[in-house]
Amino acid sequence: MMITANITQESGASLPLDGEVDTRHGPILYLEDVSVSFDGFRALNHLSLYIDDGELRCLIGPNGAGKTTLMDVITGKTRPDTGEVFFGQTIDLLKMDEPAIAQAGICRKFQKPSVFDALTVFENLELALKTDKRTWPTLFSKLNGEQCERIQEVMLLIGLAGLKNQLAGILSHGQKQWLEIGMLLMQEPKVMLVDEPIAGMTHQEVERTAELLLSLQGRHSIVVVEHDMEFVRSIARKVTVLHEGSVLTEGSMDEVQNDPRVIQVYLGG
Amino acid sequence: MNFLKQDKTYASVLMALAAVTLIIPFCNLITSADSPLHFSAYSVSLIGKYLCFALLGLSLDMVWGYAGILVLGQGAFFALGGYAMGMYLMRQIGTRGVYGNPELPDFMVFLNWSELPWYWYGFENFGFAMLMVFLAPGILAFVFGWLAFRSRVTGVYLSIITQALTYALLLAFFRNEMGFGGNNGLTDFKDILGFNIQSEAVRSMMLLLTGSSLIGALLLCRWIVGSKLGRVVTAIRDQESRVRFLGYRVELFKLWVFVFAAMLAGLAGALYVPQVGIINPSEFSPLNSLEIVIWVAVGGRGTLYGAIIGAVLVNYAKTVLTGLMPDAWLFCLGGAFILVTLLLPDGIVGLLHRRIKPNLTLNASGEQPA
Ligand SMILES: Nc1ncnc2c1ncn2[C@@H]1O[C@H](COP(=O)(O)OP(=O)(O)OP(=O)(O)O)[C@@H](O)[C@H]1O
Ligand SMILES: [Mg+2]
């Protein structure tokens, strides 16, 4: 099946406006020397990570390595004890809260699929739609033709067009994963953080997810956390291995898989 | 108006409200007092009172049923609206009070006050008083909600501090020095907009006004919960933190609904006071606010009209039972609450729907954009 993601994104090469992401000098996400502790336990330990504009990065590591915590730090859910987190050159994410970070263009799919069960598939996507999210405009909001088309397009893309008016609560686990990916697309983010997207999916669904993620790279910067090595191999350009809260190594899939430290961590862990 | 076709109960409730609102005043207008079609002043005011409570229940359902904020102090906003109306009515008394003071209400003369406190200024003007009916509860809700929601106080903690809020106001309004008539409150009203408040015509007018306000409020609330804001609020109810990651400022959405509901409760209070002829601090009692929660739970939470059905039925039962066995009422109320919580989680409306359409979901937003 061909995936055609018509995700429009203006590629302004000119000077970034005030408050826009400045990626002229490379990375779109900088994490430098970030540490997070929970009751004395170091979930992230002097971690540094750089994600380039438009790159598709895979993040692997054993359970409890700190992958989800890393996403929590980037999206404002968890405040690090030390370290710096920048979006582009100029936007300090540590000064922003969750909605501000989401509106700036860093969006997230959660490890445990979290869609709104009491709303329909269509309504879930509608809530995610990139638009004015203040209270009064939301009250009077009416979808225009273009926005309806866009929701339709995403529903086709995630294979849920036939379930438009179904409550999200009755979807299968895999469908919920897709719906959440759809919600991610609706937000037209610059950076997508995708935590374990294929858990609960059938083999075929996994293949389509891989195709979709590949088709999105370049227009979006994507960070994918996944345990399934076969899946990671099918999409990865560059892989980062986390272990005990810091980066163990980075490189191509072959490089990291042959790295003795990585083998040690996975076999010994 | 699609929802009327989707959910027949809406249409039935609206029709019943319209009938009560129109037929009773109309009958009283064309029949004489001894006609069997004539409603007594007592029953007109009683029905008007039920409709005020229905409006109050509706306001709680917006904030509890849809935004998931269990407010245990909704009665405070009702009382504030009532006091704003009461202050206007007090100023209308003029020289007809016991002391005949043209400026000061009797209780101020009694306290040896020589001039009107500043916060009573303007209440002789009906328009200003009506503005205050909405602003007084609205501003309190705004300040309180801003502090609570911004510091992410939720759940039981929030419920408890709303209860504390209404209790604090109860104590404050009991004090004579507050200038709201102490424990006697405001009463002995003479007229409203120049018409005798006791007259049958005014009573009928008040019923008409209350009924139309309730119908208008129900339609407005239905429009709000069917809007995108309504869906955001439902999403917040079910998964508050997830909504933040979609870029919505959760605290502002909660604040919006909280303030809106407080203003609606204020309106209910303002309509209530002329019909019962008194407003006193007991309206702030925490027990009153708990009763509102029971109305909504009994009727069916998160359906809007359920709150109306619940408020009317519970208060009707209260009228009947307190007449029969005054001491038993609180036990009946508590018992009803326990029974509903255990056996009818979706209230009476849930029971009706289960019998009519077994697969109807709580998510009543039937119509789809596009
Ligand atoms: N809120 C929290 N309070 C206490 N400990 C936490 C909290 N969040 C995470 N941790 C701990 O931090 C460590 C890192 O957790 P994290 O969820 O980031 O791991 P992960 O790499 O995503 O693992 P998995 O592959 O199982 O999802 C774990 O040991 C976890 O128990
Ligand atoms: Mg994780």
Side-chain angles (χ1 to χ4, degrees), chain A residues 210-228:
Chain A
E211 270 181 70
L212 175 63
L213 288 173
L214 285 172
S215 77
L216 292 172
Q217 66 171 330
R219 279 171 298 189
H220 307 262
S221 313
I222 310 173
V223 180
V224 183
V225 167
E226 204 25 88
H227 283 293
D228 186 317

Side-chain angles (χ1 to χ4, degrees), chain A residues 22 50 69 73-74 115 121 126 128 157 161 180 194 228 251 263 268:
Chain A
D22 182 359
Y50 310 92
T69 307
V73 167
I74 298 171
V115 296
V121 166
E126 181 208 17
L157 193 65
E180 215 185 340
V194 191
D228 186 317
I263 294 167

Side-chain angles (χ1 to χ4, degrees), chain A residues 37-39 41-44 61-72 78 111 195-196 225 227 242:
Chain A
S37 341
F38 297 111
D39 310 316
F41 171 77
R42 282 253 163 138
L44 292 183
N63 291 110
K67 306 178 296 291
T68 301
T69 307
L70 174 67
M71 295 197 167
D72 289 346
T78 302
Q111 179 165 353
D195 203 348
E196 306 205 3
V225 167
H227 283 293
L242 280 198

Side-chain angles (χ1 to χ4, degrees), chain B residues 27 243 303 355:
Chain B
C27 282
V243 180
T303 58
R355 295 192 46 191

